[in-house]
Each structure stands twice: as structure tokens, then as C-alpha cells.
Amino acid sequence: MNTLMVKTVIIGGGPSGANAAKYLAASKEDVLLIEKDLSFDKPCGGGLFFKAFDEFNIPQALIKRVVNTIDIISPKRKKVSVDISKHPLAVVHRQEFDKTLRELAVKSGAQLLKAKVVNIATNHNGVEISARQSDGSEITVYAKYAIVADGVNSSARRQLLGEYPSRVLTYYANLKGEESNTCQFWLGDDISPQHYAWIFPHYNGINIGLVANNKHRMQEFYNNFFKKAKIEVTLPKAKGYFIPHWKRIKLYKNNVFYVGDSASLVLPFTYEGIYYALKSGQLAAKAIIKNDPLLYEKSWNSLYLKKFKFLRTLQTIFLRNNWWANQMVRLYQNPKFQKSVIEYWSGSKKPEGVFKTLYKVVKVLVKYR
């Protein structure tokens, strides 16, 4: 059995893991990135903040489409269009995007190993990992730190913490040849109770789907949504996939950092994950570079905890039932409300506390009833 000793081992080569590896390697840190499937194409709308490409030095050639408008459709099927051209979304092909991020990490000096992690354990010296390579041989990796970045179905987190990331089920399908220039969010208890259904531009068509808590009614919700949206193609067979549902956890424990989907670091309400995966990987790397592992969670909470709580509050209020969802769409007809929400969402405006948020919501509802 082969053995390898590194300072940091990263499990998972998606955006969070690859970005962490790139930053560590660029700082001359000894890092190994382990990914079991180098051709994996994650089921994902592929949208992220346009600003991410400059912030993380990612080639803009990866951008397939730019979205400047969001349409929100109420349970009563009333639509309001929101201009996001000041904070546009870029759409990427996840397979190509993730591959490029890994290549950038390797170019910076990271080691990349194609293997499946079969066991991970912590001890007083750090972390010990056993991984099986494609030829069947096994390798043992000893590291001071591990970054768990193996996604929403994280087996590493399962082994270490006895649980998967907090998550919720989606039904989705990709329709090639169909076109959309906007991101559409559809609301209603008959299609996605307490969440939303969507039609998003995809790199080679459109991506449709929905989020729901009731796995036994997913096909019913999916059928209803397809009828409501009046998509003029034969109903495609939907696929199921979990996406993270944010729940606050310890992001560092026993020499192990949890990042991206493995830590459920997906923005409440919108379920955006790529930007926050990239950022969490970067922050974990910075903590390792500074030899201050506790800095990771401190930095994350300082930057995003209030925002995540704020968006969770809005989700709890406005997606609780059809009545509230209809009120939200009505509020979006107010330009000031639109502007404030986009600023909160993009990060250009600091979120507010729960009680202040509730007060403002009620005040606007009364004013524009």
C-alpha cells in the first residue's frame, strides 16, 4: 500500500475544493486534491455572480450566458420582472467549469489524485485517509488538515460527523434546444410548497425543476409545474438530486474544515451555491496559510452569517403559503422594494435583523394594499 504525507488533503474537486487547492498551492503550501470522478457533470443551473470571475481570477471564457432579468411568478400566475443588470448572473457548464478550476489548482502547484476516499479518521496527529484508485490499488494519506468538499452527498462528513449535510430533494430536467433569457421563479403550494420551481437558461438549452420537502409527491408537483408553465414539449422524465438546505454547523472541528455543499453553505431562499462554495474554499485556505484554523469560521460568519439568517427569514415569511407568496410578488412591483432586495442579495447592502425586517415588510404591505 502506497503512503503519502502532505500538510493539507482536500476531498472533492468541485468549486470549493479546487479553489481551496489553488489558493493553498499559490502560497507554496503542500496540498493534495482528491477527486473520484474527473468527468462528473453536477446537476446544477450553473448560475453565479458575474463578479466571481474577477474576484477569484476565473477565465470569463467559461461564461455561456449572462442573465440580466429575473421573472417571479406568483401562485395566482401574476408575473413581475426584476432588472438585475447591475448585478448580473453568469451561466456556466459545470463539467467544464469544475475541470478548469482543477487545472488552475494544478497549474498553481497542487497535486491531483483521481481516487475514491473509502475511510477518513482524525487523531492527535491530524487526519488519516484511505483512498482507492481506479486500478484498484489503495493509498493512505497522512495530513495535518483535511478540507471536506465532497458535496451534498458527502461520505466524508457522514463518516466524521455521523450525518449528511442538511439537504432537500429536487426534480429537474434539461431541455436542449429550448431558449430562455431570464431566470424564472415559480411559486405555489401546488408545485413547490415552501420553496420554488424554476426555469433557468442552461448552457445548451433550459433547465427546469422544483424543490420540495415531500418526496412522495415530487412527480405530482413536477407534472403540475409543467402544465402551469405551458412548456410546449413532451414532458421529459425528471431526475432527482439533493441540494443543500442551509443549517448552521461548526465549520471546523478536529483538524477538518467543511466547505461548500458539504457544509450546506447555500444561500437560503435562492439556493445559490457556486459563489459560496468558491468563497468558503478560499477562506479555509487562508486560515491554513495563516496557521489559524479557527479564522475560517470567524471569517465566514463575519461576512455571511447575518446575510444567510436574513434570507432564511425572508424565505420563512414569504414562502410559507400561497397568500404570503402572492404578497411578495405584489411587493416586487414596488421599485424601492425591488432595489433593496437586489442589494441585499448581491451583498452591496448589509442585511438587517429579523424584527426590523418583519416591521418593514408589514409597513410596506399596509402602504401598498
Short mmCIF file of all heavy atoms in Angstrom, two decimals, residues 71-81 184-193 195-199 210 220-230 321-322 325-327 329-330 333:
data_model
loop_
_atom_site.label_atom_id
_atom_site.label_comp_id
_atom_site.label_asym_id
_atom_site.label_seq_id
_atom_site.Cartn_x
_atom_site.Cartn_y
_atom_site.Cartn_z
N ASP A 71 -37.65 36.74 -13.54
CA ASP A 71 -39.11 36.78 -13.52
C ASP A 71 -39.60 35.98 -12.31
O ASP A 71 -39.17 34.85 -12.09
CB ASP A 71 -39.70 36.17 -14.78
CG ASP A 71 -39.47 37.04 -16.01
OD1 ASP A 71 -39.25 38.26 -15.84
OD2 ASP A 71 -39.50 36.50 -17.14
N ILE A 72 -40.49 36.59 -11.53
CA ILE A 72 -41.09 35.90 -10.39
C ILE A 72 -42.58 35.75 -10.67
O ILE A 72 -43.27 36.74 -10.94
CB ILE A 72 -40.87 36.69 -9.08
CG1 ILE A 72 -39.37 36.94 -8.88
CG2 ILE A 72 -41.44 35.92 -7.89
CD1 ILE A 72 -39.05 37.85 -7.71
N ILE A 73 -43.08 34.51 -10.61
CA ILE A 73 -44.47 34.22 -10.95
C ILE A 73 -45.19 33.76 -9.69
O ILE A 73 -44.79 32.78 -9.05
CB ILE A 73 -44.57 33.15 -12.06
CG1 ILE A 73 -43.92 33.68 -13.35
CG2 ILE A 73 -46.02 32.79 -12.33
CD1 ILE A 73 -42.48 33.37 -13.53
N SER A 74 -46.26 34.45 -9.33
CA SER A 74 -46.99 34.18 -8.09
C SER A 74 -47.88 32.95 -8.23
O SER A 74 -48.13 32.47 -9.34
CB SER A 74 -47.85 35.39 -7.73
OG SER A 74 -49.00 35.44 -8.56
N PRO A 75 -48.41 32.44 -7.11
CA PRO A 75 -49.38 31.34 -7.19
C PRO A 75 -50.60 31.70 -8.03
O PRO A 75 -51.24 30.82 -8.62
CB PRO A 75 -49.76 31.10 -5.72
CG PRO A 75 -48.55 31.53 -4.95
CD PRO A 75 -48.02 32.72 -5.71
N LYS A 76 -50.94 33.00 -8.10
CA LYS A 76 -52.04 33.46 -8.95
C LYS A 76 -51.60 33.64 -10.40
O LYS A 76 -52.36 34.11 -11.24
CB LYS A 76 -52.60 34.78 -8.42
CG LYS A 76 -53.35 34.65 -7.10
CD LYS A 76 -53.93 35.99 -6.68
CE LYS A 76 -54.74 35.86 -5.39
NZ LYS A 76 -55.32 37.17 -4.97
N ARG A 77 -50.33 33.29 -10.68
CA ARG A 77 -49.73 33.37 -12.01
C ARG A 77 -49.56 34.81 -12.50
O ARG A 77 -49.57 35.08 -13.71
CB ARG A 77 -50.53 32.56 -13.04
CG ARG A 77 -50.76 31.12 -12.63
CD ARG A 77 -49.49 30.41 -12.20
NE ARG A 77 -49.80 29.17 -11.49
CZ ARG A 77 -49.10 28.71 -10.46
NH1 ARG A 77 -48.08 29.40 -9.99
NH2 ARG A 77 -49.43 27.57 -9.90
N LYS A 78 -49.40 35.72 -11.56
CA LYS A 78 -49.02 37.08 -11.92
C LYS A 78 -47.49 37.17 -11.94
O LYS A 78 -46.82 36.65 -11.05
CB LYS A 78 -49.60 38.08 -10.92
CG LYS A 78 -51.12 38.19 -11.00
CD LYS A 78 -51.64 39.28 -10.08
CE LYS A 78 -53.15 39.41 -10.21
NZ LYS A 78 -53.70 40.47 -9.32
N LYS A 79 -46.97 37.84 -12.95
CA LYS A 79 -45.53 37.88 -13.15
C LYS A 79 -44.99 39.29 -12.93
O LYS A 79 -45.60 40.26 -13.37
CB LYS A 79 -45.16 37.42 -14.56
CG LYS A 79 -43.66 37.38 -14.82
CD LYS A 79 -43.35 36.89 -16.23
CE LYS A 79 -43.58 37.95 -17.27
NZ LYS A 79 -43.11 37.55 -18.61
N VAL A 80 -43.84 39.36 -12.27
CA VAL A 80 -43.13 40.62 -12.16
C VAL A 80 -41.68 40.38 -12.59
O VAL A 80 -41.08 39.36 -12.24
CB VAL A 80 -43.18 41.18 -10.71
CG1 VAL A 80 -42.55 40.23 -9.72
CG2 VAL A 80 -42.51 42.54 -10.65
N SER A 81 -41.16 41.27 -13.40
CA SER A 81 -39.79 41.16 -13.90
C SER A 81 -38.87 42.08 -13.12
O SER A 81 -39.21 43.24 -12.87
CB SER A 81 -39.73 41.50 -15.39
OG SER A 81 -40.44 40.56 -16.16
N GLN A 184 -36.55 32.25 -14.24
CA GLN A 184 -37.93 32.30 -13.78
C GLN A 184 -38.08 31.53 -12.48
O GLN A 184 -37.67 30.37 -12.38
CB GLN A 184 -38.88 31.72 -14.83
CG GLN A 184 -38.88 32.46 -16.15
CD GLN A 184 -39.85 31.85 -17.13
OE1 GLN A 184 -40.82 31.18 -16.76
NE2 GLN A 184 -39.59 32.06 -18.41
N PHE A 185 -38.70 32.17 -11.48
CA PHE A 185 -39.01 31.55 -10.20
C PHE A 185 -40.53 31.45 -10.08
O PHE A 185 -41.21 32.48 -10.04
CB PHE A 185 -38.44 32.36 -9.04
CG PHE A 185 -36.94 32.40 -9.00
CD1 PHE A 185 -36.23 33.32 -9.76
CD2 PHE A 185 -36.22 31.51 -8.20
CE1 PHE A 185 -34.84 33.36 -9.73
CE2 PHE A 185 -34.84 31.54 -8.17
CZ PHE A 185 -34.15 32.46 -8.93
N TRP A 186 -41.05 30.23 -10.02
CA TRP A 186 -42.48 29.99 -9.93
C TRP A 186 -42.83 29.57 -8.50
O TRP A 186 -42.18 28.69 -7.93
CB TRP A 186 -42.90 28.89 -10.90
CG TRP A 186 -42.79 29.27 -12.35
CD1 TRP A 186 -41.66 29.52 -13.06
CD2 TRP A 186 -43.87 29.42 -13.26
NE1 TRP A 186 -41.96 29.82 -14.36
CE2 TRP A 186 -43.32 29.77 -14.51
CE3 TRP A 186 -45.26 29.29 -13.15
CZ2 TRP A 186 -44.11 29.99 -15.65
CZ3 TRP A 186 -46.05 29.50 -14.27
CH2 TRP A 186 -45.48 29.86 -15.50
N LEU A 187 -43.87 30.21 -7.96
CA LEU A 187 -44.27 29.95 -6.57
C LEU A 187 -45.64 29.32 -6.52
O LEU A 187 -46.50 29.58 -7.37
CB LEU A 187 -44.27 31.27 -5.79
CG LEU A 187 -43.00 32.12 -5.90
CD1 LEU A 187 -43.19 33.44 -5.15
CD2 LEU A 187 -41.78 31.38 -5.38
N GLY A 188 -45.87 28.51 -5.49
CA GLY A 188 -47.19 27.93 -5.30
C GLY A 188 -47.15 26.60 -4.58
O GLY A 188 -46.26 25.78 -4.81
N ASP A 189 -48.13 26.39 -3.71
CA ASP A 189 -48.19 25.15 -2.94
C ASP A 189 -48.45 23.93 -3.81
O ASP A 189 -48.19 22.79 -3.40
CB ASP A 189 -49.29 25.24 -1.87
CG ASP A 189 -48.95 26.23 -0.77
OD1 ASP A 189 -47.76 26.60 -0.65
OD2 ASP A 189 -49.87 26.64 -0.04
N ASP A 190 -49.00 24.14 -5.00
CA ASP A 190 -49.31 23.01 -5.88
C ASP A 190 -48.12 22.56 -6.70
O ASP A 190 -48.17 21.50 -7.34
CB ASP A 190 -50.47 23.37 -6.81
CG ASP A 190 -50.18 24.60 -7.67
OD1 ASP A 190 -49.31 25.41 -7.28
OD2 ASP A 190 -50.83 24.75 -8.74
N ILE A 191 -47.04 23.36 -6.70
CA ILE A 191 -45.86 22.99 -7.49
C ILE A 191 -44.58 22.90 -6.66
O ILE A 191 -43.67 22.12 -6.99
CB ILE A 191 -45.63 23.95 -8.68
CG1 ILE A 191 -45.47 25.40 -8.20
CG2 ILE A 191 -46.75 23.82 -9.70
CD1 ILE A 191 -45.16 26.38 -9.31
N SER A 192 -44.50 23.67 -5.57
CA SER A 192 -43.29 23.63 -4.75
C SER A 192 -43.55 24.30 -3.40
O SER A 192 -43.10 25.41 -3.15
CB SER A 192 -42.14 24.34 -5.47
OG SER A 192 -40.95 24.27 -4.71
N PRO A 193 -44.29 23.63 -2.51
CA PRO A 193 -44.63 24.24 -1.23
C PRO A 193 -43.40 24.62 -0.41
O PRO A 193 -42.49 23.82 -0.23
CB PRO A 193 -45.47 23.17 -0.52
CG PRO A 193 -45.14 21.88 -1.23
CD PRO A 193 -44.82 22.26 -2.64
N HIS A 195 -41.00 26.38 -1.13
CA HIS A 195 -39.78 26.54 -1.93
C HIS A 195 -40.16 27.20 -3.26
O HIS A 195 -41.02 28.08 -3.27
CB HIS A 195 -39.09 25.19 -2.15
CG HIS A 195 -38.69 24.50 -0.89
ND1 HIS A 195 -37.59 24.87 -0.15
CD2 HIS A 195 -39.26 23.46 -0.21
CE1 HIS A 195 -37.48 24.10 0.92
NE2 HIS A 195 -38.49 23.25 0.91
N TYR A 196 -39.58 26.78 -4.36
CA TYR A 196 -39.95 27.34 -5.65
C TYR A 196 -39.62 26.34 -6.76
O TYR A 196 -38.82 25.42 -6.59
CB TYR A 196 -39.23 28.67 -5.93
CG TYR A 196 -37.73 28.58 -6.08
CD1 TYR A 196 -37.15 28.20 -7.30
CD2 TYR A 196 -36.87 28.89 -5.03
CE1 TYR A 196 -35.78 28.12 -7.46
CE2 TYR A 196 -35.49 28.82 -5.17
CZ TYR A 196 -34.96 28.43 -6.39
OH TYR A 196 -33.59 28.35 -6.54
N ALA A 197 -40.29 26.54 -7.89
CA ALA A 197 -39.95 25.83 -9.12
C ALA A 197 -39.23 26.82 -10.03
O ALA A 197 -39.30 28.03 -9.83
CB ALA A 197 -41.20 25.28 -9.79
N TRP A 198 -38.51 26.32 -11.02
CA TRP A 198 -37.71 27.24 -11.83
C TRP A 198 -37.64 26.85 -13.29
O TRP A 198 -37.83 25.68 -13.67
CB TRP A 198 -36.28 27.31 -11.27
CG TRP A 198 -35.47 26.05 -11.49
CD1 TRP A 198 -34.80 25.68 -12.63
CD2 TRP A 198 -35.27 24.99 -10.55
NE1 TRP A 198 -34.19 24.46 -12.45
CE2 TRP A 198 -34.45 24.02 -11.19
CE3 TRP A 198 -35.69 24.76 -9.23
CZ2 TRP A 198 -34.06 22.83 -10.54
CZ3 TRP A 198 -35.30 23.59 -8.61
CH2 TRP A 198 -34.49 22.64 -9.26
N ILE A 199 -37.35 27.85 -14.10
CA ILE A 199 -36.93 27.67 -15.49
C ILE A 199 -35.72 28.57 -15.66
O ILE A 199 -35.84 29.81 -15.59
CB ILE A 199 -38.04 28.06 -16.50
CG1 ILE A 199 -39.29 27.21 -16.29
CG2 ILE A 199 -37.52 27.90 -17.93
CD1 ILE A 199 -40.47 27.65 -17.16
N LEU A 210 -37.86 21.79 -9.64
CA LEU A 210 -38.52 22.30 -8.45
C LEU A 210 -37.87 21.71 -7.21
O LEU A 210 -37.19 20.68 -7.26
CB LEU A 210 -40.01 21.97 -8.48
CG LEU A 210 -40.41 20.50 -8.57
CD1 LEU A 210 -40.58 19.87 -7.18
CD2 LEU A 210 -41.71 20.35 -9.36
N GLU A 220 -46.01 14.44 -8.76
CA GLU A 220 -47.23 15.24 -8.86
C GLU A 220 -46.90 16.72 -9.01
O GLU A 220 -47.47 17.41 -9.89
CB GLU A 220 -48.09 15.02 -7.60
CG GLU A 220 -49.32 15.89 -7.53
CD GLU A 220 -49.97 15.86 -6.15
OE1 GLU A 220 -49.68 14.94 -5.37
OE2 GLU A 220 -50.76 16.78 -5.86
N PHE A 221 -45.98 17.22 -8.18
CA PHE A 221 -45.57 18.62 -8.29
C PHE A 221 -44.96 18.91 -9.65
O PHE A 221 -45.22 19.95 -10.27
CB PHE A 221 -44.57 18.97 -7.19
CG PHE A 221 -45.12 18.93 -5.79
CD1 PHE A 221 -44.34 18.45 -4.74
CD2 PHE A 221 -46.40 19.37 -5.52
CE1 PHE A 221 -44.85 18.42 -3.45
CE2 PHE A 221 -46.92 19.34 -4.23
CZ PHE A 221 -46.12 18.86 -3.19
N TYR A 222 -44.12 17.99 -10.11
CA TYR A 222 -43.44 18.16 -11.40
C TYR A 222 -44.45 18.22 -12.54
O TYR A 222 -44.36 19.09 -13.42
CB TYR A 222 -42.46 17.00 -11.60
CG TYR A 222 -41.66 17.05 -12.87
CD1 TYR A 222 -40.64 17.97 -13.05
CD2 TYR A 222 -41.90 16.14 -13.89
CE1 TYR A 222 -39.89 18.00 -14.22
CE2 TYR A 222 -41.16 16.15 -15.07
CZ TYR A 222 -40.15 17.08 -15.22
OH TYR A 222 -39.41 17.09 -16.37
N ASN A 223 -45.43 17.32 -12.53
CA ASN A 223 -46.47 17.32 -13.56
C ASN A 223 -47.27 18.62 -13.53
O ASN A 223 -47.57 19.22 -14.57
CB ASN A 223 -47.41 16.13 -13.36
CG ASN A 223 -46.74 14.79 -13.60
OD1 ASN A 223 -45.64 14.74 -14.15
ND2 ASN A 223 -47.37 13.72 -13.17
N ASN A 224 -47.61 19.07 -12.31
CA ASN A 224 -48.37 20.32 -12.18
C ASN A 224 -47.59 21.51 -12.73
O ASN A 224 -48.14 22.37 -13.43
CB ASN A 224 -48.70 20.58 -10.71
CG ASN A 224 -49.75 19.64 -10.16
OD1 ASN A 224 -50.46 18.98 -10.92
ND2 ASN A 224 -49.86 19.57 -8.83
N PHE A 225 -46.30 21.54 -12.41
CA PHE A 225 -45.48 22.67 -12.85
C PHE A 225 -45.38 22.71 -14.37
O PHE A 225 -45.49 23.78 -14.99
CB PHE A 225 -44.09 22.57 -12.23
CG PHE A 225 -43.14 23.64 -12.70
CD1 PHE A 225 -43.52 24.97 -12.72
CD2 PHE A 225 -41.85 23.32 -13.11
CE1 PHE A 225 -42.65 25.97 -13.16
CE2 PHE A 225 -40.98 24.30 -13.55
CZ PHE A 225 -41.39 25.62 -13.59
N PHE A 226 -45.20 21.56 -14.97
CA PHE A 226 -45.06 21.51 -16.43
C PHE A 226 -46.34 22.04 -17.10
O PHE A 226 -46.28 22.75 -18.11
CB PHE A 226 -44.76 20.08 -16.86
CG PHE A 226 -43.93 19.99 -18.09
CD1 PHE A 226 -42.56 20.19 -18.03
CD2 PHE A 226 -44.50 19.73 -19.33
CE1 PHE A 226 -41.78 20.12 -19.17
CE2 PHE A 226 -43.72 19.66 -20.47
CZ PHE A 226 -42.36 19.85 -20.39
N LYS A 227 -47.48 21.71 -16.52
CA LYS A 227 -48.75 22.19 -17.07
C LYS A 227 -48.89 23.70 -16.87
O LYS A 227 -49.30 24.43 -17.77
CB LYS A 227 -49.91 21.47 -16.41
CG LYS A 227 -50.03 20.00 -16.76
CD LYS A 227 -51.16 19.33 -15.99
CE LYS A 227 -51.23 17.84 -16.29
NZ LYS A 227 -52.27 17.15 -15.48
N LYS A 228 -48.55 24.18 -15.67
CA LYS A 228 -48.68 25.61 -15.37
C LYS A 228 -47.76 26.44 -16.26
O LYS A 228 -48.12 27.52 -16.72
CB LYS A 228 -48.32 25.86 -13.91
CG LYS A 228 -49.18 25.12 -12.90
CD LYS A 228 -50.49 25.79 -12.65
CE LYS A 228 -51.24 25.08 -11.53
NZ LYS A 228 -52.59 25.62 -11.33
N ALA A 229 -46.54 25.95 -16.49
CA ALA A 229 -45.56 26.71 -17.26
C ALA A 229 -45.84 26.67 -18.75
O ALA A 229 -45.27 27.45 -19.52
CB ALA A 229 -44.16 26.19 -16.97
N LYS A 230 -46.69 25.72 -19.19
CA LYS A 230 -47.08 25.59 -20.60
C LYS A 230 -45.87 25.47 -21.53
O LYS A 230 -45.76 26.15 -22.54
CB LYS A 230 -47.95 26.78 -21.02
CG LYS A 230 -49.27 26.86 -20.26
CD LYS A 230 -50.11 28.05 -20.72
CE LYS A 230 -51.43 28.09 -19.94
NZ LYS A 230 -52.27 29.25 -20.33
N ASN A 321 -46.79 30.00 2.55
CA ASN A 321 -48.03 29.56 1.91
C ASN A 321 -48.32 30.47 0.71
O ASN A 321 -47.61 31.44 0.45
CB ASN A 321 -49.20 29.56 2.90
CG ASN A 321 -49.41 30.90 3.58
OD1 ASN A 321 -49.30 31.96 2.95
ND2 ASN A 321 -49.71 30.88 4.87
N ASN A 322 -49.39 30.17 0.00
CA ASN A 322 -49.72 30.92 -1.21
C ASN A 322 -50.02 32.38 -0.93
O ASN A 322 -49.67 33.26 -1.73
CB ASN A 322 -50.93 30.28 -1.91
CG ASN A 322 -50.55 29.06 -2.72
OD1 ASN A 322 -49.37 28.76 -2.89
ND2 ASN A 322 -51.55 28.35 -3.22
N ALA A 325 -46.81 34.25 -0.56
CA ALA A 325 -46.11 34.29 -1.85
C ALA A 325 -46.73 35.32 -2.77
O ALA A 325 -46.02 36.06 -3.48
CB ALA A 325 -46.11 32.91 -2.49
N ASN A 326 -48.05 35.40 -2.77
CA ASN A 326 -48.72 36.42 -3.58
C ASN A 326 -48.38 37.83 -3.11
O ASN A 326 -48.20 38.74 -3.92
CB ASN A 326 -50.24 36.22 -3.53
CG ASN A 326 -50.71 35.06 -4.39
OD1 ASN A 326 -50.20 34.84 -5.48
ND2 ASN A 326 -51.68 34.30 -3.89
N GLN A 327 -48.27 38.00 -1.78
CA GLN A 327 -47.90 39.32 -1.25
C GLN A 327 -46.48 39.70 -1.68
O GLN A 327 -46.19 40.86 -1.97
CB GLN A 327 -48.00 39.33 0.29
CG GLN A 327 -49.36 38.96 0.84
CD GLN A 327 -50.50 39.68 0.14
OE1 GLN A 327 -50.52 40.91 0.03
NE2 GLN A 327 -51.44 38.90 -0.37
N VAL A 329 -44.87 38.83 -4.41
CA VAL A 329 -44.86 39.25 -5.81
C VAL A 329 -45.48 40.63 -5.93
O VAL A 329 -45.03 41.47 -6.73
CB VAL A 329 -45.59 38.22 -6.69
CG1 VAL A 329 -45.69 38.72 -8.13
CG2 VAL A 329 -44.85 36.88 -6.65
N ARG A 330 -46.49 40.92 -5.13
CA ARG A 330 -47.10 42.25 -5.13
C ARG A 330 -46.08 43.30 -4.66
O ARG A 330 -45.98 44.39 -5.23
CB ARG A 330 -48.33 42.25 -4.22
CG ARG A 330 -49.13 43.54 -4.25
CD ARG A 330 -50.53 43.34 -3.69
NE ARG A 330 -50.49 42.99 -2.28
CZ ARG A 330 -50.47 43.87 -1.29
NH1 ARG A 330 -50.44 45.17 -1.56
NH2 ARG A 330 -50.48 43.49 -0.03
N GLN A 333 -43.54 44.64 -7.14
CA GLN A 333 -43.96 45.66 -8.09
C GLN A 333 -43.54 47.05 -7.63
O GLN A 333 -43.59 48.00 -8.41
CB GLN A 333 -45.49 45.59 -8.26
CG GLN A 333 -45.95 44.28 -8.89
CD GLN A 333 -47.46 44.12 -8.87
OE1 GLN A 333 -48.17 44.91 -8.26
NE2 GLN A 333 -47.95 43.09 -9.53
#
